[in-house]
Amino acid sequence: MMSRDDDAHNHYHGYPVQGRTDRSIGDAVAFIAIILVPAGVYAAWHAITAWLSALFS
């Protein structure tokens, strides 16, 4: 179901979006976040522990 604002937004760009582009962008963002967030936490944890071990060694 599309609201009038979505329809106007799609028309404004001059090509029919059909809601597919927004969904795929959202899926890509979610996929990247699922991959990068744990990797970032892992890297940050190792950086912090390495820094602390160097600091206190």
Side-chain angles (χ1 to χ4, degrees):
M1 187 173 102
M2 293 177 63
S3 69
R4 258 183 12 203
D5 289 340
D6 289 337
D7 199 22
H9 178 74
N10 292 344
H11 183 73
Y12 175 76
H13 287 291
Y15 55 90
V17 176
Q18 310 276 333
R20 184 177 297 174
T21 303
D22 292 337
R23 189 175 301 119
S24 64
I25 290 170
D27 290 344
V29 169
F31 179 77
I32 290 166
I34 288 166
I35 299 299
L36 289 185
V37 168
V41 170
Y42 178 83
W45 174 251
H46 279 274
I48 290 167
T49 54
W51 182 80
L52 287 174
S53 67
L55 188 69
F56 291 112
S57 61

